[in-house]
Amino acid sequence: MQKPAFPETIQLGHGSGGIMTRELLDQIVFSTFSNPFLDRKHDGSVLPTDGPVAISTDSFVVSPIFFQGGDIGDLAVNGTVNDVAMCGARPEYLSLSFILEEGLPTADFIRIAQSVRNAAEAAGVLIVTGDTKVVERGKGDKIFINTTGIGRVHPRADIALSNVRAGDRLLLSGPLAAHGMAILSKREGLQFESEISSDTACLNHMVLELLDCFGSQIHLLRDPTRGGLASVCSEIAQDSKLGIELWETALPVDAQVAAACEILGMDPLYVANEGVCCALVAPEIETAALEIMRRHPTGSRAVCVGSVQNAHQGKVIMKSSVGGNRIVTPLLGEQLPRIC
Amino acid sequence: MKHLSEYRDLEATRQVIGLIEKSATRPWKIMEICGGQTHSLVRNGILELLPENIQMIHGPGCPVCVTPVELIDRAVALMERGAVLCSFGDMIRVPGSRGSLLEAKSRGGDLRVLYSPLEAVKIARTNPDREVVFFAVGFETTAPANALSVLQARKESLSNYSILVSHVLVPPAMEGILDDPFCAIDAFLGAGHVCAIMGYWQYHPIAERFKVPIVVTGFEPLDLVQGIYRAVLQLEKGEHRVENQYARAVTEAGNQAAQQVIADVFEVADRNWRGIGKIPASGYALSNRYRAFDAEHKFDLAGEPGTPETGCMAGAILKGQQKPRECPHFATTCNPRNPLGAPMVSSEGACAAYYHFAHNP
């Protein structure tokens, strides 16, 4: 007997736990993410591991769900993979939970599931467990995704705030603000000569090569997502009780992104990135580490953008492009566009 | 973008600062009118690059900061009555007596943050069963677009669109500051964006009457130091003319089409300025012809009570008589998290600019 075609939209019944749920899982989820762990179709997965592991979890609620350069699916993989990598670990396994809103076009769900699979392949991680719930129309926003990532800590990694010291160099793997401005310009319907593309990408391959080469000379790794580079630097300065100096002229921002920031009244320093890593490293390895980063597509435009200092402890100072200094403060709430 | 990098050029900016140093033989106090200029001065660290005898005073040109409490309360009341309230972004965190628009939203109000009032007209078109109100805040700069939204709504016969007007004007504010017997301002940097709309012909009588140089100035670092340099040159020579540093955007006559739209939709009216009080003929109200689009008229909001201030010395700050750091509340009981007054809320407010970019806690 031929199976009935899958409905065009997600219905409440797809989250009921009954036959419709089974159909959703079999026809979309399991077939997309098939691997030996998942194929056991158990309540959870038993994973082999040894030594210390890193774990990180994140929920993804971005709107719009599709944007230039990516969608909520690859974002959900890369975001968590990067968080695990920032712990100095090799991401290996991911959990994947969907909260779907009744009425989501099935084609959209399939497209997102496929981009989850592609991103997981690119990052070298397996989806080993998951969950799918459906909420009534109006109780969600099309699709929310939660992922949790697990990875073995690199044997030579020693990533800790307490390792940061005066003289450390702040290396940035790529240009700022692309993700946030891709989302915002889509929301605002802004047209540019070429559309701004999100930078969503996995950073683990680059980070692991850095750890292979330099081990404990990599003192701290962070990916400046929400709140941008300014917020990450402020946190590091406050928590380490050291000062951070940023050099405005060295900060890379693509021309289109800078233009969008000007038009929409945003400061790129506070805008989210999804494929950028900042590394605080011992000054002796600055040049060599930049060379390694530049070998990877996500780090091809890596630069040194600042340094750690004993002066102005707990604060981030920006040396402005016209030579003045200013304090960089963390973001309070949402960044609000200015009126004129 | 080349236009931007040129006006952010380190060498060129330093050269002009060197010229200012050479020409300023006495201390001078120069007020930049516009909040955008204050923001740029602080953000780019220009204040600390200027010679000590040049003191910049931060003027009242932050529209969000001078919007009176009672208007924010009325906007909150409109949300509570079920209207869709549309606003520019930086207005939404400014505290009224019953909290900010953002707080009203978290209590269930429908708040939309927009970049253009024409988007609000679109919301009215697609939601014919909802009242849609745009919070029309701003100086002369935002007035044309706000006026256009009214014209568009009338063209489409939308009866569910109105605007809550809080428009203020620069020249009356300058005269108000200069009329103050304690005024110590030697020269003005005119607000470039306002002048792009209105031109600068209105400023000649002010320069003449009060014997102050007025230099219409842009917003980038090089613009600002050039504006300051021109003001210093005039002061040193004892001149008081209107000059235009921002010629790439501003003409003497301004944008005629925009001015016509303003003249059609608005009329000059007395306005309350937060922290300053009532200034005669210092703002716009909707003219009688467009009364149907006036939210205050449509919803009978006149009865919503205003409230006293909180100990914020916004008036002295906005008139340039006090610096943010001289306020006892600055960065102690008043901070962006818990602002006592509007200059700490808006990113263009003098207090917030100091707090964010130059504050040493």
Side-chain angles (χ1 to χ4, degrees):
Chain A
M1 192 180 80
Q2 202 185 347
K3 271 191 209 165
F6 202 86
E8 280 182 13
T9 54
I10 299 296
Q11 299 166 12
L12 276 177
H14 288 126
S16 67
I19 291 173
M20 285 179 75
T21 304
R22 192 77 211 177
E23 284 173 358
L24 175 90
L25 293 177
D26 283 344
Q27 291 180 41
I28 300 178
V29 177
F30 289 128
S31 57
T32 307
F33 302 114
S34 172
N35 65 59
F37 294 100
L38 201 64
D39 293 348
R40 285 178 205 148
K41 299 189 182 179
H42 203 278
D43 285 353
S45 275
V46 177
L47 308 172
T49 188
D50 51 46
V53 295
I55 179 166
S56 183
T57 190
D58 210 339
S59 297
F60 298 83
V61 297
V62 67
S63 172
I65 57 176
F66 298 107
F67 44 84
Q68 189 70 20
D71 59 46
I72 192 170
D74 42 34
L75 203 62
V77 173
N78 293 332
T80 297
V81 160
N82 292 344
D83 285 347
V84 172
M86 296 306 127
C87 302
R90 181 184 306 277
E92 288 165 287
Y93 307 110
L94 275 191
S95 76
L96 173 69
S97 295
F98 293 111
I99 295 174
L100 310 179
E101 185 187 17
E102 179 188 17
L104 174 75
T106 306
D108 286 356
F109 182 51
I110 293 173
R111 183 175 158 196
I112 288 164
Q114 282 168 349
S115 83
V116 167
R117 184 192 56 200
N118 295 343
E121 266 174 25
V125 295
L126 295 176
I127 311 289
V128 293
T129 187
D131 181 44
T132 307
K133 294 279 192 308
V134 181
V135 295
E136 275 175 69
R137 186 186 286 273
K139 299 275 172 69
D141 189 5
K142 297 187 181 76
I143 178 169
F144 297 148
I145 305 179
N146 172 275
T147 53
T148 298
I150 292 179
R152 260 174 279 215
V153 175
H154 190 282
R156 294 180 55 214
D158 183 14
I159 305 292
L161 189 70
S162 54
N163 293 339
V164 175
R165 58 206 47 157
D168 279 3
R169 296 291 189 266
L170 202 164
L171 311 183
L172 193 70
S173 68
L176 291 172
H179 176 72
M181 295 321 292
I183 297 291
L184 202 57
S185 45
K186 171 132 196 195
R187 272 189 211 155
E188 296 302 328
L190 282 191
Q191 301 281 324
F192 294 93
E193 281 169 25
S194 62
E195 252 186 292
I196 295 172
S197 225
S198 166
D199 58 357
T200 179
C202 65
L203 299 161
N204 50 326
H205 305 306
M206 178 180 66
V207 162
L208 287 163
E209 194 180 347
L210 281 177
L211 291 168
D212 285 342
C213 297
F214 306 109
S216 62
Q217 285 173 298
I218 308 291
H219 294 160
L220 193 66
L221 294 162
R222 293 292 301 272
D223 65 331
T225 52
R226 278 176 306 173
L229 184 65
S231 302
V232 160
C233 288
S234 298
E235 278 172 37
I236 297 172
Q238 274 172 20
D239 297 342
S240 68
K241 304 202 166 44
L242 291 162
I244 294 183
E245 184 178 277
L246 292 174
W247 311 320
E248 191 163 42
T249 46
L251 288 170
V253 183
D254 282 335
Q256 296 268 21
V257 173
C261 285
E262 288 288 337
I263 291 168
L264 296 174
M266 297 294 183
D267 184 340
L269 211 54
Y270 292 89
V271 176
N273 312 280
E274 289 293 344
V276 172
C277 137
C278 69
L280 286 164
V281 305
E284 340 36 297
I285 66 162
E286 175 189 331
T287 313
L290 284 172
E291 270 173 31
I292 300 282
M293 291 167 88
R294 287 174 187 151
R295 281 192 215 155
H296 294 264
T298 48
S300 60
R301 293 167 62 192
V303 278
C304 180
V305 297
S307 68
V308 180
Q309 306 184 333
N310 274 320
H312 52 83
Q313 295 179 351
K315 286 199 274 295
V316 183
I317 300 288
M318 172 78 85
K319 285 209 102 55
S320 89
S321 53
V322 291
N325 287 328
R326 71 174 205 260
I327 302 217
V328 177
T329 50
L331 199 57
L332 172 61
E334 255 183 292
Q335 189 176 196
L336 298 174
R338 289 164 52 209
I339 204 165
C340 58
Chain B
M1 281 309 288
K2 190 156 176 267
H3 232 45
L4 275 186
S5 54
E6 283 167 355
Y7 286 93
R8 288 174 190 172
D9 184 80
L10 172 61
E11 251 337 285
T13 305
R14 281 209 175 128
Q15 276 176 19
V16 179
I17 289 172
L19 292 174
I20 296 172
E21 260 166 10
K22 268 188 216 149
S23 21
T25 60
R26 294 161 47 188
W28 298 113
K29 288 187 177 177
I30 302 171
M31 173 179 273
E32 82 280 1
I33 286 289
C34 176
Q37 292 169 333
T38 306
H39 188 87
S40 184
L41 282 172
V42 180
R43 188 176 190 280
N44 290 296
I46 294 171
L47 294 179
E48 67 175 86
L49 298 176
L50 288 172
E52 269 180 25
N53 53 358
I54 302 299
Q55 194 188 345
M56 297 307 294
I57 309 276
H58 313 306
C62 161
V64 166
C65 303
V66 298
T67 298
V69 173
E70 62 265 25
L71 270 173
I72 299 171
D73 289 351
R74 284 173 199 174
V76 167
L78 282 168
M79 288 169 74
E80 287 167 350
R81 292 191 202 177
V84 179
L85 192 89
C86 306
S87 172
F88 292 129
D90 43 3
M91 197 66 226
I92 68 175
R93 264 208 296 260
V94 182
S97 67
R98 286 183 301 141
S100 64
L101 302 182
L102 207 53
E103 286 166 282
K105 177 174 187 265
S106 74
R107 293 195 298 265
D110 192 345
L111 175 68
R112 317 275 177 100
V113 175
L114 307 180
Y115 278 97
S116 159
L118 290 174
E119 293 171 57
V121 176
K122 194 171 150 196
I123 293 171
R125 187 189 312 134
T126 49
N127 295 274
D129 52 332
R130 303 281 305 276
E131 285 293 338
V132 177
V133 182
F134 186 79
F135 200 176
V137 173
F139 279 89
E140 294 92 326
T141 332
T142 53
N146 293 346
L148 272 180
S149 79
V150 170
L151 293 178
Q152 183 65 28
R154 192 175 70 162
K155 195 170 147 198
E156 296 183 32
S157 307
L158 295 175
S159 60
N160 63 329
Y161 179 74
S162 58
I163 65 176
L164 181 61
V165 184
S166 180
H167 268 297
V168 280
L169 303 174
V170 166
M174 286 172 73
E175 288 171 315
I177 290 164
L178 289 163
D179 266 333
D180 191 313
F182 295 102
C183 172
I185 291 153
D186 300 305
F188 282 97
L189 302 187
H193 290 157
V194 169
C195 295
I197 302 292
M198 304 306 288
Y200 53 88
W201 54 271
Q202 307 173 67
Y203 295 95
H204 297 298
I206 301 178
E208 191 52 44
R209 181 177 149 212
F210 295 99
K211 310 234 175 308
V212 284
I214 300 173
V215 184
V216 177
T217 302
F219 298 82
E220 298 302 332
L222 188 56
D223 288 322
L224 288 161
V225 293
Q226 282 177 349
I228 293 166
Y229 177 50
R230 291 197 191 192
V232 168
L233 284 184
Q234 284 200 46
L235 289 167
E236 290 287 336
K237 288 187 206 155
E239 295 175 349
H240 46 81
R241 287 177 290 112
V242 180
E243 274 189 79
N244 183 13
Q245 179 279 331
Y246 202 30
R248 69 184 188 279
V250 174
T251 60
E252 167 99 32
N255 181 335
Q256 304 280 325
Q259 289 171 34
Q260 274 164 21
V261 172
I262 293 175
D264 178 22
V265 174
F266 293 118
E267 59 191 26
V268 173
D270 298 349
R271 275 278 163 203
N272 264 333
W273 294 54
R274 187 173 191 163
I276 294 178
K278 187 176 254 185
I279 305 181
S282 67
Y284 289 133
L286 272 171
S287 71
N288 263 331
R289 285 194 301 284
Y290 296 93
R291 227 177 163 192
F293 298 96
D294 185 346
E296 296 210 55
H297 172 67
K298 189 172 182 178
F299 299 101
D300 188 26
L301 293 168
E304 301 282 341
T307 31
E309 297 280 343
T310 53
C312 168
M313 54 154 73
I317 302 279
L318 297 176
K319 284 190 255 183
Q321 290 161 355
Q322 300 275 336
K323 289 266 175 184
R325 284 200 193 92
E326 290 162 0
C327 173
H329 300 295
F330 179 77
T332 54
T333 46
C334 180
N335 55 59
R337 197 87 207 248
N338 182 24
L340 292 185
M344 187 54 101
V345 181
S346 164
S347 61
E348 290 183 15
C351 298
Y354 268 78
Y355 188 93
H356 282 304
F357 297 132
H359 166 54
N360 287 297

